[in-house]
Amino acid sequence: MTTFLVWAPAARRVQLRAGRRSARAVRAPGGWWTAHAPAPPGTDYGWQLDDSPDVLPDPRAAWLPHGVEGRARVYDHAAFEWTDTAWTGRPLAGAVLYELHIGTFSPEGTFDGAIGRLDHLIRLGVTHVEVLPVNALAGEWNWGYDGVGWFAVHQPLGGPDGFKRFVDACHAHGLAVLLDVVYNHVGPSGNHLPRFGPYLTDGAGTAWGDVVNLGEPTVRRYVIDNALMWLRDYHLDGLRLDAVHALVDPLAGRGHPHLLAELSAAVERLSGELGRPLPLIAESDLNDPILIEPRADGGYGLDGQWDDDVHHALHALLTGERQGYYADFGSLTVLAKVVRDAFLHDGRFSSFRGRPHGRPIDRARTPGHRFVVCLQNHDQVGNRAAGERLTELTTPGRQRIGAVLLLTLPFTPMLWMGEEWAASTRWPYFTSHPDPVLAAAIGPGRLAEFERHGWDTSAMLDPQDPAAFRTARLDWTEPERPEHARMLELYRRLIALRAAEPELRDGDLTAVASGFDEAAGWFVLHRGTLRVAVNLAGEPRRVPLSGPAGELLLATGPVALDGAVAELGPETAAVVRTRATPAA
């Protein structure tokens, strides 16, 4: 007999339908119901509540082969034959992350298709793969952030066994796997959670969906259990927590820790049990170091956070864009601040927000590897009206400069799939919502949002148009073409250089220094005895190295070393070893 549990505190009667059998559930403490039935793995099942004839999928279903509207299927996590028993994980310090979307990473758009491309990632030299959300959602393709079946893997991607094969194969290649998870809202389509209990907050919502009710202890447990499941049952190496600034925790500060602190404590215990690191990385636009400060000091105890200010500083500098949230960025003065302090807005006035924003970090106590930075990511590319990459927004020379800066900063660098070969494929927003009302509203809603922020919407595709999904897939013939192969070789050399030079991996932010000339367009970053010299101008520049030049380790264009000066060609970056004492 198999025992089934479901939380339905308001229900008067609950019936289990397993295969062709029915079993009356018995009320248990705390609003739970329990039922027993002969249901081996592979049996389809669902729940009926009160007088409704609907058979609903289990809110904790591990397998939804019929989609989020169909019955769940009994799944045995212990049945999968793992081969990674010797895997001990990889730390976040010294890591190079690679963000990818399973549905558009390979032509097949599946976990097995992605496995076929892992050799490319090994040759590239990245250490961690960060996968966009894979939980079950309505429709066939989607970015993944509209999930409603939190404990199940989306069947069109390959289902639960497909994901396990992918993780197992990554570990066999020496790659750690992080998963993007969404706990701030539930997707707008196929969501049956409110029929079971108060999973959501009445009258509250985000731009993406209904707010999760963190004031209910069982729902808090639902979130934490989900995180632990991915790490334990899928052998994942960490989680990226989506938009934690949208988490509404009414219990925090009322004799109860914030959900994120509660989560980090639970994951820390599991990490100790498993004997490998399980970093939690938050996405937040608050610029608040409370996320990564120790729980003992009142922080949430997470391991890292995305740092949008570094992205904005690089993007605005390389492209010249100043609209929307790029308004305060784009100067070398700003770049010098963010490479030292991680945030530009650390209590400073934000013109985009119209108020002071953020809080400073303690540079002496906060290592740089706790900040994940990027030139591009799914948000910054996909949330443009047409999904353009940097390839379309700046020159090849400035793209190369961006790559050099990204991979020599004192932070944890993250690449967006295809960036390494300057992919020309766009990555627009795409959905396949089966609800016709929702489907019809998606496009006009996005259009209005982009127009408010000043984007050119002339090339925007309707997210529901299958062409939006098809055009987002990477073109794997591009890396073989000369112009793309040169960029790929640069990324390989940069990642290898970062791995070989401890000074480039040093996260001590108190040791970071820089110099620049705003008018002349040159910038130099000091990393111990190494200098990362950049010329953004369209003509040669002489860049002072603050020490006699020794060895030229890497260059993206013409470079001549002359004593303590590097003469750089137009739009050129170089990494030079000096005979200087590291900057204080």
Side-chain angles (χ1 to χ4, degrees):
M1 297 290 283
T2 301
T3 299
F4 295 84
L5 288 169
V6 69
W7 185 61
R12 300 182 306 278
R13 291 181 302 280
V14 175
Q15 189 89 354
L16 172 71
R17 298 290 299 275
R20 296 182 178 180
R21 298 175 181 268
S22 297
R24 191 77 174 256
V26 177
R27 186 185 290 274
W32 289 87
W33 296 77
T34 181
H36 307 276
T43 303
D44 287 352
Y45 74 100
W47 296 100
Q48 286 181 294
L49 306 179
D50 296 325
D51 300 322
S52 173
D54 298 337
V55 181
L56 304 176
D58 190 341
R60 289 176 176 251
W63 194 3
L64 291 169
H66 309 296
V68 296
E69 299 287 356
R71 295 192 187 194
R73 182 168 292 173
V74 176
Y75 181 79
D76 181 7
H77 275 293
F80 186 84
E81 296 183 5
W82 292 93
T83 66
D84 65 349
T85 53
W87 177 251
T88 56
R90 302 194 71 152
L92 189 59
V96 178
L97 277 52
Y98 188 94
E99 188 189 31
L100 63 85
H101 174 263
I102 292 294
T104 53
F105 180 61
S106 72
E108 300 85 355
T110 63
F111 297 116
D112 290 335
I115 290 171
R117 302 292 171 174
L118 293 182
D119 285 343
H120 167 82
L121 301 184
I122 297 304
R123 292 193 298 271
L124 180 59
V126 298
T127 61
H128 292 64
V129 174
E130 182 173 313
V131 180
L132 267 62
V134 300
N135 46 210
L137 47 78
E140 185 173 354
W141 56 76
N142 191 292
W143 278 16
Y145 296 89
D146 291 325
V148 294
W150 281 11
F151 286 74
V153 175
H154 195 46
Q155 191 64 26
L157 301 178
D161 278 2
F163 193 27
K164 289 181 177 181
R165 286 194 299 272
F166 174 78
V167 175
D168 202 42
C170 284
H171 290 170
H173 284 77
L175 290 168
V177 184
L178 308 176
L179 178 65
D180 199 343
V181 291
V182 183
Y183 296 135
N184 56 69
H185 75 280
V186 179
S189 180
N191 173 22
H192 298 293
L193 291 177
R195 298 180 66 176
F196 285 92
Y199 282 90
L200 307 177
T201 301
D202 289 340
T206 69
W208 321 297
D210 295 320
V211 169
V212 176
N213 179 15
L214 299 182
E216 167 56 59
T218 303
V219 177
R220 296 174 75 91
R221 193 67 242 174
Y222 186 74
V223 171
I224 293 172
D225 286 350
N226 181 260
L228 298 179
M229 177 209 69
W230 292 119
L231 299 169
R232 180 188 62 243
D233 298 333
Y234 285 89
H235 291 203
L236 289 171
D237 300 289
L239 302 173
R240 181 262 193 187
L241 310 173
D242 179 69
V244 299
H245 53 269
L247 291 171
V248 179
D249 188 350
L251 301 186
R254 299 180 180 179
H256 201 288
H258 191 281
L259 173 75
L260 293 176
E262 193 175 344
L263 175 61
S264 72
V267 170
E268 187 176 284
R269 289 191 293 271
L270 181 62
S271 176
E273 294 170 13
L274 298 179
R276 53 187 174 88
L278 301 173
L280 295 176
I281 303 169
E283 180 207 12
S284 170
D285 73 351
L286 299 179
N287 284 18
D288 192 341
I290 192 173
L291 294 168
I292 54 177
E293 289 170 343
R295 292 189 300 276
D297 296 339
Y300 299 162
L302 303 179
D303 301 276
Q305 65 181 105
W306 275 25
D307 188 339
D308 281 347
D309 281 17
V310 174
H311 167 271
H312 297 351
L314 292 170
H315 180 94
L317 184 67
L318 298 175
T319 66
E321 292 189 343
R322 299 292 185 275
Q323 73 269 40
Y325 46 67
Y326 294 132
D328 295 338
F329 298 87
S331 69
L332 293 174
T333 303
V334 166
L335 180 62
K337 175 165 174 53
V338 298
V339 301
R340 182 192 65 212
D341 297 331
F343 298 143
L344 169 65
H345 297 122
D346 52 6
R348 293 188 174 196
F349 185 83
S350 164
S351 61
F352 173 67
R353 298 174 177 87
R355 54 176 170 76
H357 182 69
R359 190 164 68 88
I361 67 168
D362 184 340
R363 295 168 64 231
R365 298 181 59 194
T366 310
H369 76 261
R370 290 182 175 270
F371 299 94
V372 175
V373 302
C374 65
L375 278 177
Q376 304 177 76
N377 62 41
H378 77 275
D379 269 331
Q380 301 299 341
V381 174
N383 281 325
R384 300 179 65 87
E388 311 101 309
R389 295 170 178 263
L390 272 183
T391 311
E392 295 187 61
L393 304 176
T394 191
T395 65
R398 287 186 167 224
Q399 267 193 278
R400 289 189 285 268
I401 287 172
V404 171
L405 287 172
L406 174 69
L407 287 157
T408 57
L409 292 176
F411 309 117
T412 296
M414 183 181 75
L415 280 55
W416 169 235
M417 63 177 195
E419 170 187 331
E420 69 274 19
W421 72 70
S424 66
T425 48
R426 292 179 170 183
W427 205 76
Y429 185 63
F430 50 84
T431 57
S432 57
H433 292 303
D435 180 342
V437 175
L438 179 60
I442 290 292
R446 298 276 292 186
L447 182 65
E449 179 182 357
F450 289 136
E451 288 176 339
R452 283 197 304 273
H453 290 298
W455 298 106
D456 178 6
T457 58
S458 60
M460 179 179 166
L461 291 172
D462 185 335
Q464 284 286 122
D465 185 343
F469 172 65
R470 289 196 303 269
T471 58
R473 281 183 168 160
L474 288 176
D475 179 356
W476 282 92
T477 69
E478 285 190 336
E480 301 170 3
R481 303 175 198 169
E483 66 273 23
H484 296 287
R486 286 193 292 272
M487 185 66 80
L488 179 57
E489 179 58 24
L490 173 62
Y491 270 85
R492 286 173 175 165
R493 290 180 60 202
L494 280 166
I495 293 172
L497 184 64
R498 185 180 180 89
E501 298 291 342
E503 288 173 310
L504 294 181
R505 302 191 308 279
D506 183 8
D508 181 2
L509 296 179
T510 65
V512 176
S514 63
F516 61 91
D517 186 319
E518 199 81 66
W522 62 258
F523 180 88
V524 60
L525 175 66
H526 298 218
R527 303 300 317 274
T529 61
L530 302 183
R531 300 292 182 267
V532 182
V534 168
N535 174 23
L536 290 156
E539 55 193 42
R541 289 285 188 261
R542 289 176 62 81
V543 181
L545 301 176
S546 302
E551 180 184 3
L552 179 63
L553 299 179
L554 181 144
T556 68
V559 176
L561 301 180
D562 180 13
V565 172
E567 183 167 327
L568 273 61
E571 295 190 342
T572 293
V575 182
V576 180
R577 192 188 307 280
T578 69
R579 294 188 290 275
T581 302

